[in-house]
Amino acid sequence: MRVAGKGLVDRSKPLRFLFDGTSYQGFEGDTLASALLANDVKMVARSFKYHRPRGIMGAGSEEAGALVTVGSGAHQDPNVRATVQEIYEGLSAQSQNRWPSLGFDILSVNDLAAPFLGAGFYYKTFMWPKAFWEKLYEPVIRRSAGIGALSGLSNADRYEKAFAFCDLLVIGSGPSGLMAALTAARAGADVILCEEDSVFGGRLNGETLEIAETSGQDWGTAAIAELSSMDNVRLMSRTTVTGAYDQGTYGALERVSHHMTQAQGKPLETFWRIVAKRAILAAGAIERPVAFRNNDRPGIMTAAAVRIYLHRYGVAPGKAVTVFANNDDAHRTARDLVAAGVHVAGVIDTRTDAPDGQGYPVYKGAEVCDSAGRRALESVSFRYADGRVDKLQTDCLAMSGGWNPTVHLACHMNGRPKWDDSIQSFVPTEGMVPGLEAVGACNGAFSTHAALLQGNAAALTALGDLGLKTIAQDVPDAEDAPYRLKPLWAVKGKGRAWLDFQNDVTVKDVKMAAQENFRSVEHMKRYTTQGMAPDQGKNSNVAALAVLADATGRGIPETGTTTFRPPFVPVSIASLGAGAQGKGFAPERFTTSHSASVERGAPMIEAGLWYRPSYFPATGEKTWRESCDREVGYVRNAVGVCDVSTLGKIDIQGPDAGAFLDFVYTNMFSTLKVGRTRYGLMLREDGTVMDDGTTARLGETHYVMTTTTAAAGAVMRHLEYVKQCLRPDLDVNLVSVTEQWAQFAVAGPKSRDLLNGLLDTKLDNESWPFMACGTVSALGVEGRLFRISFSGEHAYEIAVPARYGDSLFRTLTSRAEAMGGGAYGMEALNVLRIEKGFITHSEIHGRTNAFDIGMERMVSQKKDCIGKTMSERPGLTDPEREQLVGVKPIGPVKQLTAGSFLFKSEDAAVRENAQGYMTSVGFSPEFGTFIGLGFLSNGRARHGEQMLMVDHLRDVVARVEICDPVFFDPEGGRVRG
């Protein structure tokens, strides 16, 4: 019911909304939860396993029971917390996990079967008979699993991603957060203040506390007004910081238009990547429930939530409210309700020294042991220490077992919080996240004055770390009451007492886990499902750990906590992959020449997450083959330009760079002369080829390695592993510079002429021989030039800083076209390299070694390297192994296909008779036929042999001849000319 004179909602702006098809009225500023409570709607959902009635228990993102589906059709959004969803005109929400209706749910029969559905029942129940699994058990489980449901339709909403940078990120806008932001902002620091609520102020909006002789709410409003007037401050409401990552990076989800009838051109959500030099965690604390029999009925809430609904929304969740507590803080709920004219049936306090009531009875030394009422609370039973049981008629129970600091973000880099016996909970340990300091309630300081002091002190420390001038701040006076409580996790007695209200985990379930030897917190979590799903244990974690500790005879600190992982609240995949809807949310990487390639009509294909042009169609060409043949002709007869920026580029520097490369490559690089480039082969530890590429020596201690496009990330990880674990004795530094350089292949007989018209210095065979490298200047821009070739032609690769890539590509292609050439794409590149017998990951696919590809002589006998010993095992040098060969058709069928198998002409084409397989094929304009590469048993000894190539999938059978894999210019004269 609404309480006159209370709340921050705008009662002059009524709004109509639907819940399960029934129309209700709320006001601007209401959440769905507050509006439903104002309309006396107590039951809003069904629980996960037992389908028991669930009501609203909290008031924020910690809500475990009131999950609803918002919208319909393609806009349907399941598992939304009613406590977070703001109402707007026309909002439509539906209850979940029930059929056919919330009031009459067929699967509530599970509650009657509860004795058979305890923790781990699925491990024990569905094992026999075996045949029942696929036909009965699995279909039934799949149909009943989950809570909310997706529509299955394509999501038409818009999402965005954004980046922000600051000196100081303040997470939370309660007293400590506001004080920290004010202190830092007044000193001139760039500050971002994130608040997950729609209004700033945190708990100040749900209390009657005073700060500096004014109400806490007014003090907070004035602080926000001051911050909003500063140019160095960004205020971000409706923004939840979801995760803490390396190097001061934080993920944050902004709910941009979830509260609007029409998005008005705005995205639904924006996912922020915030990079902060320092951060202050002021996320507050979460009030923990107490486990007792039937403590999950609609109408049973946390005491702080009842207080928030009263002061923030002007709503009393019941007409006769009872408070159940073990601490002083909960008594404020009773006092505030009485002051607002709401009847308080009584306060049941487990402590014999509890404060006396102020207009309500206090039952000291008692504990609630049961509740009654099916779809809504009707009464509670409470028991004294001597065993006497009494009953109170009540429609709302506000319970409080104390407070748990919100330590989640501080744990996201695998740090563990420490136990604080004075508050009976965990608090962050200093340095858990580098550059982040916890303050206020999330650091165990529960008084307002202590929160203000810690917020100010943390901001001054951050300013000092940043080298900014600190300005002394006066910390205002505020409430500074001590925190007193008597620990109580679960009330003893028969019946089910709930710990995890979302996953239907009871005290008995946790004890059973311990009894069955799942004594580790992580094992208990997985055995019982405690703390899983969207709730992530916000309400239940510490109480469950306490029950486990008691069941195993350990202390809570010894028992420890489960691992808190990002995200802190559920984050939609659509927001994480903003801009990739309709593309499978796969990462996309574009070269600097992407726009120019698209303008030329090139179809783009994925290559190692990059998008590269397949071919460049010309007017009049009807098939891709025509374009490909033309582009191959550019390179063979004139000059072609290809963007090769996607190749991995790793900068390697240090006194031991040469020795490091000797260790990771099969061949020698320490002997490579400055200004020269060498082809290298890299093995895995098992002797299999990992990657190949060229490495250039730009200085005595400076090398640049290139990798294949697909293996760039894997090679970088491998090198870091070698540096840190295998050869920490070497003084060498590595950094990936793939994105920093735009690199283009210029290949063909006229390639030197093209570059001589572009570079400030002239090229010739003496100054720039084959495999030379060095610094050049192209039209005044300093870059790098490598005389290397992946086509078998006289060729170069020119690299410039990425910002010049688009301009250079357009310049190169226009000049090439004037010389009878032009741009060429991946299809032509593939044909060119097959003609020369050059390998890619089609050939070094994870099963081949240096012997298989004919490069065993590249494994130096003068040194050791990774994979060398393993590569020399007899089985990996057996002549009968499949070896790289060339293949060309000689029969009436001229088509070759990759993936097909090779058979002796007289053998049946069955698996047992397969002699080898094809890896790469292409039509060669140079030879007027298909050619290919493949692997054949003892292949190098079988050149000239005629075989059958059979592709059962495409129904292609061709007579072929095995030949040397180098089809074009086997002497290499063109590449050196």
Side-chain angles (χ1 to χ4, degrees), residues 126-137:
F126 303 116
M127 300 300 177
W128 182 91
K130 185 177 181 180
F132 274 36
W133 174 253
E134 289 186 3
K135 297 179 180 179
L136 178 61
Y137 298 149

Side-chain angles (χ1 to χ4, degrees), residues 451-678:
L452 293 169
L453 286 172
Q454 287 195 4
N456 178 63
L460 292 174
T461 300
L463 291 170
D465 292 342
L466 296 172
L468 298 175
K469 183 179 180 180
T470 59
I471 302 175
Q473 301 288 325
D474 292 329
V475 177
D477 292 330
E479 164 271 328
D480 198 19
Y483 179 66
R484 289 199 320 125
L485 87 163
K486 177 183 178 182
L488 176 65
W489 314 103
V491 176
K492 294 181 179 180
K494 296 181 179 180
R496 288 174 293 170
W498 264 261
L499 292 167
D500 189 326
F501 298 86
Q502 190 169 93
N503 295 307
D504 276 332
V505 179
T506 65
V507 170
K508 180 181 177 182
D509 290 330
V510 174
K511 290 181 176 179
M512 182 182 295
Q515 181 180 335
E516 299 194 6
N517 211 32
F518 292 94
R519 299 163 64 88
S520 160
V521 290
E522 299 291 358
H523 291 163
M524 177 275 289
K525 173 181 177 178
R526 284 150 183 81
Y527 188 70
T528 64
T529 69
Q530 139 68 32
M532 293 186 180
D535 172 57
Q536 287 294 294
K538 292 183 178 69
N539 290 287
S540 57
N541 197 52
V542 176
L545 298 177
V547 172
L548 179 65
D550 182 65
T552 57
R554 298 174 296 185
I556 299 177
E558 180 187 356
T559 302
T561 66
T562 54
T563 303
F564 296 111
R565 298 182 179 90
F568 176 68
V569 297
V571 177
S572 62
I573 294 175
S575 65
L576 289 174
Q581 284 181 268
K583 304 175 184 178
F585 295 108
E588 293 180 308
R589 305 178 78 180
F590 300 112
T591 62
T592 57
S593 66
H594 183 82
S595 295
S597 298
V598 172
E599 290 171 12
R600 291 170 176 265
M604 307 304 288
I605 59 174
E606 292 182 68
L609 300 181
W610 291 90
Y611 280 78
R612 301 183 70 178
S614 179
Y615 57 92
F616 294 86
T619 303
E621 292 174 343
K622 298 180 179 179
T623 67
W624 69 269
R625 263 281 308 281
E626 293 180 80
S627 303
C628 178
D629 291 352
R630 171 177 48 80
E631 293 169 16
V632 171
Y634 286 165
V635 179
R636 293 289 180 233
N637 304 311
V639 60
V641 177
C642 181
D643 191 334
V644 294
S645 305
T646 62
L647 297 176
K649 294 177 279 291
I650 301 173
D651 202 274
I652 302 171
Q653 297 190 41
D656 297 324
F660 179 81
L661 289 170
D662 286 345
F663 187 65
V664 297
Y665 273 132
T666 62
N667 46 332
M668 297 287 288
F669 277 84
S670 58
T671 58
L672 182 65
K673 295 179 180 179
V674 175
R676 303 290 286 176
T677 304
R678 182 170 290 167

Side-chain angles (χ1 to χ4, degrees), residues 167 182-191 230 232-233 463 468-469 471:
D167 293 325
L182 284 171
T183 301
R186 288 168 178 168
D190 289 327
V191 176
M230 298 181 179
N232 57 322
V233 176
L463 291 170
L468 298 175
K469 183 179 180 180
I471 302 175

Side-chain angles (χ1 to χ4, degrees), residues 39-62:
N39 285 278
D40 203 31
V41 177
K42 296 291 183 70
M43 191 171 97
V44 298
R46 292 277 180 169
S47 67
F48 174 61
K49 184 162 66 173
Y50 299 124
H51 286 248
R52 285 172 63 89
R54 284 287 183 265
I56 296 158
M57 190 180 73
S61 62
E62 80 284 354

Side-chain angles (χ1 to χ4, degrees), residues 800-973:
V800 294
R803 62 184 177 275
Y804 299 108
D806 178 74
S807 176
L808 180 58
F809 178 75
R810 294 176 189 272
T811 300
L812 289 171
T813 51
S814 64
R815 295 190 178 207
E817 288 166 352
M819 302 171 72
Y824 65 99
M826 293 290 288
E827 296 295 344
L829 181 66
N830 197 45
V831 171
L832 292 165
R833 68 95 180 172
I834 293 174
E835 289 179 344
K836 278 297 292 181
F838 290 149
I839 59 173
T840 67
H841 275 267
S842 296
E843 287 71 44
I844 50 174
H845 47 54
R847 293 169 47 204
T848 55
N849 58 33
F851 174 80
D852 300 336
I853 58 177
M855 295 185 183
E856 63 274 16
R857 287 182 296 176
M858 286 187 63
V859 183
S860 175
Q861 298 304 309
K862 299 179 181 179
K863 66 178 182 70
D864 189 20
C865 68
I866 293 174
K868 178 180 177 179
T869 301
M870 297 294 279
S871 73
E872 293 172 343
R873 288 174 290 172
L876 296 185
T877 56
D878 187 340
E880 294 303 314
R881 282 184 63 85
E882 294 167 338
Q883 301 164 5
L884 183 69
V885 295
V887 180
K888 58 185 178 182
I890 57 174
V893 177
K894 302 299 183 183
Q895 183 181 3
L896 301 181
T897 58
S900 56
F901 286 87
L902 298 172
F903 300 89
K904 291 181 179 180
S905 299
E906 65 272 17
D907 287 346
V910 295
R911 178 177 59 83
E912 292 80 3
N913 294 333
Q915 297 283 296
Y917 55 93
M918 301 290 293
T919 55
S920 302
V921 300
F923 181 84
S924 168
E926 185 75 19
F927 298 100
T929 184
F930 274 91
I931 58 174
L933 301 177
F935 286 90
L936 180 66
S937 177
N938 196 20
R940 287 191 285 273
R942 299 171 73 174
H943 291 180
E945 183 176 338
Q946 296 183 9
M947 305 189 74
L948 286 180
M949 185 214 78
V950 181
D951 187 335
H952 291 290
L953 184 64
R954 301 174 183 87
D955 196 24
V956 177
V957 179
R959 183 167 295 279
V960 299
E961 180 181 325
I962 305 304
C963 60
D964 191 284
V966 182
F967 296 88
F968 178 80
D969 188 25
E971 296 79 18

